[in-house]
Amino acid sequence: MYAQMLSFASVGAAWTAAHYVLLIVLVEQAGMDAVWASTASFLAGAIINYGLNYRFTFRSNQPHRETALKFFAIALSGMLLNGAIMHVAINFLSWHYLPSQIAATGLVFFWNFFANRGWTFRG
């Protein structure tokens, strides 16, 4: 399990970097609301993340039709969780959007890993 979690984190690192860069650009340059910018940037890497996790992290041989639907259901729930955490941290706790995103990233990472391990790529 720890090797899978490390692989999941490695695959997610590139996606996370892109997420943060896009988040900062959308907030600082485009003037977009941080919660919406976070949600939009979260979606940006989902397809690449699926392919890398399918092939490398979980070494799945299950049909894509089945695993992709499950993966994107988990990604959608992770995106909603990310948005909720961002909303609470920014609007109720008055945190800056970057520490808010760091907290959201940490929590959503564990949700995504265990949900994908236990449901999407179980086998």
Side-chain angles (χ1 to χ4, degrees):
M1 176 176 84
Y2 296 110
Q4 277 184 332
M5 189 179 287
L6 181 58
S7 178
F8 190 81
S10 297
V11 165
W15 177 34
T16 301
H19 180 172
Y20 279 64
V21 168
L22 186 54
L23 170 65
I24 292 167
V25 167
L26 290 174
V27 170
E28 301 295 334
Q29 300 299 315
M32 189 180 241
D33 173 77
V35 175
W36 287 110
S38 177
T39 301
S41 60
F42 187 97
L43 291 172
I47 293 170
I48 294 168
N49 213 17
Y50 167 73
L52 293 172
N53 279 306
Y54 180 91
R55 180 156 175 87
F56 297 110
T57 303
F58 299 104
R59 296 178 185 6
S60 181
N61 59 4
Q62 298 176 36
H64 283 290
R65 183 177 184 186
E66 178 184 332
T67 56
L69 288 173
K70 289 178 179 180
F71 184 87
F72 287 109
I74 302 271
L76 177 61
S77 65
M79 180 191 71
L80 294 172
L81 179 59
N82 180 80
I85 293 166
M86 290 290 289
H87 177 73
V88 168
I90 293 168
N91 296 309
F92 292 101
L93 301 177
S94 299
W95 290 6
H96 185 269
Y97 74 93
L98 288 175
S100 301
Q101 186 61 68
I102 291 168
T105 298
L107 293 170
V108 172
F109 168 82
F110 287 105
W111 159 251
N112 283 344
F113 174 74
F114 287 110
N116 279 303
R117 184 174 192 269
W119 185 51
T120 306
F121 298 108
R122 181 182 43 179

